[in-house]
Amino acid sequence: MDIFMKLRQRWSNADLLQIGLIIATTLALLLAILFPLWSLFSKAFENRDGSFAGIGNFAKYFTSPALVQSLTNTLFISSVSTVIAVTLAFFYAFGISRTGMRGKGYFKYVAMLPLFAPTMMHGISLTYLFGNQGLVTNGFFGALPGIKLPLYGPFGIIVSEVIYTFPQAYLIFITTLAITDYRLYEAADSLGAHSLRKFITVTLPSVKYGLISAIFVCFTASFTDFGAPQAVGGQFNVLATDIYKQVIGQQNMSMGATVGILLTLPAIIAFVVDRIVDRKQRSMLSAKSTPYRTREGKWRDRVFTLFCLAISVAILLPLATTVFASMVNVWPYDLTLGFKHFDFSDVAAGGLQPYLNSLKVSFLTAIIGTIITFVIAYLIEKSRFLGGFRQVGYFLSLLPLALPGMVIGLAYIFFFNHPNNPLNGLYGTMWIIVLANVVHFYSVPFITATSSLKKLDKEFELVSESMRVPFYRTFLKVTVPLSLPAIIEIAGYFFVNSMVTVSAVVFLRAADFNLAAVSIVSMDDAGDTAAAAAMAVLIVASNIAVKSLYEAFVRKLKQRTNRWQNMK
């Protein structure tokens, strides 16, 4: 009682509430992230009967030629995909940021389109282009000579992964190229350096941290991806499909956990490197830095226009092919257009319910995830209490960056399905899928939220505290309105990624609660490729609609802000 009275004398009710929230959110992060990971780690050292196996599962893995071959295949696919995607994305971003070519708005939007589609769709579109009855294979319905390519295997996976990882590398490069100090180029000009020499001695060194980050991001994304190998991998096994086979096919949870840990290793390395690179890159800009000024160069602009045009066609052609194939009556024999494939009642999806389920899950993920993310970011960034707890919370908030979706799904099976877990009731419900999505995509919105909060003056909190205004009133009346663009961006990020994800939820969905992206896997496996394409089109259309609404809201918000500033 005396301790409580002392606390009341030292802190107000609002302070005690803030302290309680910091403790509660830290414990919640432990419960949602660290404890499930420990369950996964423990499972990897157990036999199938639950007895302790030591490193037996790892020894078995590395002495199984087929499983080791999967690891080799994954490293090969990831390495080749990364080299191609990073190279193409760099020159694409260079053309947009460093030349005077026209149509930059178009090229920027096209580069982002692969983010709106599940990776399974990239594989399906390649099937319609390069499969046995593909457009390119049959010379566009006989109009041209056909070109046959070995689609099912490493070629198809690599092309799909390049499409999947290209926008992620592009986003890194477009940001990195935008912060280069133009004074370096002026110094090179004064020394008489020609264009190629400036590119080698100034441009490449100035983007080296972005290049390292892009390499690790692309490598990790392709290393852990499940959709593309499942769609066009054929008999070419990779680690992600191995986990699926071990867990779903053979019910070997221990070996699935073992492969999951192996799948996490490159992601952890990438996470550490990315944190180091991010700190170093921030120190490259100074207050005296000047933005890059594009010089006139007609031939340069023409070359990059053709290059970016070719890349945009390579992105749009698979998407357009998928839309076309979803509307064709019987590919490639009856090209009558219609919408019969959008009636999923006679295929593996079992109707339109998986799509409606995905919309519901994605909206819930966006709402719940945005509230949780922004509140936790506010408590960590703006609070002055419990520094140790806030540091733990910050570390746990960044940890999901290093966790592949399939690893989160497996960890949640082992943790929430345990009969002694009081939260066991969540397993098999829609809410565990929402929770898995929030955790899977939590880190990027958290970084967005903290970056937005860092831009707000600390005087808001100091003045409120001096006037004895509760922190939650300042949060609702000042912080949230000023951070609305970031909050809406976070919500859109949660929604889009929840619509396209397969790996994080493929293990968690109940038999009577299917999701759109997962149903694409089922339909493609069952040979209902046209219906799978139709479901993919619905997902892409939904994500584009949400993105358009976000941009319209931000544009209107900026107009209102500009009018207010002009009145002032």
Side-chain angles (χ1 to χ4, degrees), residues 43-44 46 48 56-58 60-61 64 67 243 246-247 252-260:
K43 196 70 176 180
E46 293 180 1
R48 298 185 72 165
N57 289 323
F58 293 92
K60 182 179 178 181
Y61 181 90
S64 301
L67 295 177
I243 293 180
Q246 292 289 338
V247 175
N252 190 346
M253 299 296 182
S254 297
M255 187 56 72
T258 303
V259 180

Side-chain angles (χ1 to χ4, degrees), residues 198-437:
K198 283 190 290 185
F199 179 80
I200 295 173
T201 59
V202 180
T203 302
L204 289 182
S206 66
V207 301
K208 62 182 179 181
Y209 296 123
L211 178 62
I212 294 170
S213 182
I215 288 172
F216 276 98
V217 166
C218 291
F219 184 88
T220 303
S222 55
F223 192 90
T224 59
D225 181 46
F226 169 75
Q230 179 69 13
V232 291
Q235 300 301 315
F236 193 84
N237 293 329
V238 296
L239 287 178
T241 54
D242 271 356
I243 293 180
Y244 188 76
K245 291 174 182 177
Q246 292 289 338
V247 175
I248 301 297
Q250 302 179 28
Q251 294 294 304
N252 190 346
M253 299 296 182
S254 297
M255 187 56 72
T258 303
V259 180
I261 289 176
L262 295 176
L263 199 67
T264 307
L265 293 178
I268 293 175
I269 296 172
F271 166 74
V272 174
V273 171
D274 185 67
R275 292 297 91 200
I276 296 172
V277 165
D278 184 61
R279 285 198 297 269
K280 289 184 176 293
Q281 187 166 334
R282 287 179 184 176
S283 64
M284 290 175 61
L285 271 184
S286 67
K288 297 180 180 179
S289 298
T290 57
Y292 186 86
R293 295 194 294 272
T294 303
R295 297 180 180 181
E296 186 177 354
K298 292 183 179 179
W299 281 106
R300 176 205 62 198
D301 294 348
R302 290 171 183 171
V303 169
F304 274 99
T305 299
L306 290 174
F307 173 78
C308 291
L309 190 61
I311 297 297
S312 68
V313 170
I315 293 173
L316 287 173
L317 182 59
L319 178 60
T321 303
T322 304
V323 175
F324 179 62
S326 69
M327 301 175 66
V328 167
N329 190 29
V330 181
W331 183 283
Y333 307 107
D334 182 2
L335 301 181
T336 305
L337 299 181
F339 295 96
K340 77 168 192 175
H341 298 303
F342 289 85
D343 177 15
F344 305 100
S345 56
D346 296 328
V347 295
L352 199 62
Q353 194 59 46
Y355 172 68
L356 299 177
N357 290 342
S358 284
L359 287 178
K360 187 176 181 180
V361 167
S362 298
F363 274 118
L364 286 171
T365 301
I367 294 169
I368 297 172
T370 302
I371 293 172
I372 290 174
T373 303
F374 197 77
V375 168
I376 293 177
Y378 177 84
L379 292 172
I380 291 175
E381 184 63 32
K382 294 295 186 179
S383 179
R384 58 183 177 84
F385 302 109
L386 304 180
F389 273 85
R390 288 189 287 118
Q391 286 295 321
V392 172
Y394 185 82
F395 168 75
L396 292 173
S397 296
L398 296 182
L399 189 57
L401 274 178
L403 301 177
M406 298 196 83
V407 170
I408 293 175
L410 272 179
Y412 272 38
I413 289 177
F414 302 141
F415 181 67
F416 287 100
N417 196 32
H418 198 284
N420 296 328
N421 189 338
L423 300 174
N424 178 266
L426 282 176
Y427 189 76
T429 68
M430 175 188 67
W431 297 107
I432 195 172
I433 296 175
V434 172
L435 179 60
N437 282 339

Side-chain angles (χ1 to χ4, degrees), residues 6 67 76 84 91 179:
K6 289 180 180 179
L67 295 177
F76 170 74
I84 298 173
F91 287 106
I179 63 174

Side-chain angles (χ1 to χ4, degrees), residues 188-189 191-201:
D189 288 334
L191 294 172
H194 52 77
S195 298
L196 180 60
R197 186 171 181 81
K198 283 190 290 185
F199 179 80
I200 295 173
T201 59

Side-chain angles (χ1 to χ4, degrees), residues 465-478:
E465 190 173 341
S466 65
M467 296 178 66
R468 298 185 180 278
V469 176
F471 79 95
Y472 50 83
R473 186 171 296 175
T474 305
F475 175 79
L476 294 173
K477 297 287 187 179
V478 179

